[in-house]
Structure formats: structure tokens, C-alpha cells
């Protein structure tokens, strides 16, 4: 059974930083592209970043230059380093393991972790 468990969400002031983590179990880790999505209250879920298994990355325009996606294959863990956080980054953040055949598309989702950016 594939499981994704996120952690690291918190309340942080504007301009602050957070690192989210996501541990994958029940599946090989290094073979798959992985991603982060988020959903703010009253809005649709949106892509934040994707890390392909060849090392390429893809970021949504609002987070480029502020967020960094990375992985540690030895720990089956995906990370999202978030810097210079803004109130509009407030959302539930979800980790995904993507399809082999369509690496940009999520196949499995975690339960989410809440990030709140507020003074």
C-alpha cells in the first residue's frame, strides 16, 4: 500500500521560511517523479513544484525563486524548502507520487499539511 505522509507545516510570519517533508512508503522512491501541490481556502488545488527522476524541476510561477524541491532517495523523502513566504502562500500542501507513464501527473496523494503565513 502506497502511503505519503507530509510534515513541517506551521504558522509563520511573512518573510519567514519553512521546510516541508514527505515520506513515501510502499513504493520504490527513486523511480518516480514526485511533486508538491497546494490548495488555499476557496480555491482550486494547484501545482507548486515537480521533481522528475532525472533531476529536472518545474515550478509554478508564483513560487519561482522562493521555493526549492529536493529529494533524498536514501530516506524515501521529498522536501520543499519555502523562503520569503507570503500570505498568499497560505494553503494545505500535498505531496504526490506521480505516474510512471505521465511523470507530470499525480498518482498518489498525501493527507496534506497546513501552512499559514500571517503576522
Amino acid at each position: 500500500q502506497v502511503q505519503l505522509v507530509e510534515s513541517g507545516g506551521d504558522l509563520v510570519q511573512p518573510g519567514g521560511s519553512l521546510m516541508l517533508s514527505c515520506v513515501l512508503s510502499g513504493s520504490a522512491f527513486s523511480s518516480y517523479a514526485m511533486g508538491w501541490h497546494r490548495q488555499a481556502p476557496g480555491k482550486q488545488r494547484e501545482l507548486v513544484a515537480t521533481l522528475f527522476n532525472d533531476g529536472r524541476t518545474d515550478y509554478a510561477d508564483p513560487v519561482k525563486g522562493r521555493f526549492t524541491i529536493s529529494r533524498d532517495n536514501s530516506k524515501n523523502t521529498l522536501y520543499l524548502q519555502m523562503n520569503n513566504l507570503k500570505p498568499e502562500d497560505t494553503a494545505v500542501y500535498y505531496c504526490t507520487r506521480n505516474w510512471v507513464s505521465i511523470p507530470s501527473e499525480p498518482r498518489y496523494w498525501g493527507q496534506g499539511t497546513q501552512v499559514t503565513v500571517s503576522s
Side-chain angles (χ1 to χ4, degrees), residues 48-83:
V48 175
T50 303
L51 176 55
F52 299 93
N53 58 353
D54 63 359
R56 290 180 298 117
T57 57
D58 183 32
Y59 293 94
D61 286 342
V63 308
K64 284 181 180 176
R66 300 189 297 122
F67 290 11
T68 303
I69 188 171
S70 62
R71 66 198 295 165
D72 185 338
N73 290 338
S74 69
K75 297 181 178 179
N76 281 16
T77 301
L78 180 74
Y79 302 100
L80 184 69
Q81 177 66 46
M82 304 185 294
N83 297 329

Side-chain angles (χ1 to χ4, degrees), residues 15-30:
S17 298
L18 277 178
M19 176 176 276
L20 304 183
S21 300
C22 170
V23 178
L24 172 68
S25 61
S27 169
F29 182 76
S30 61

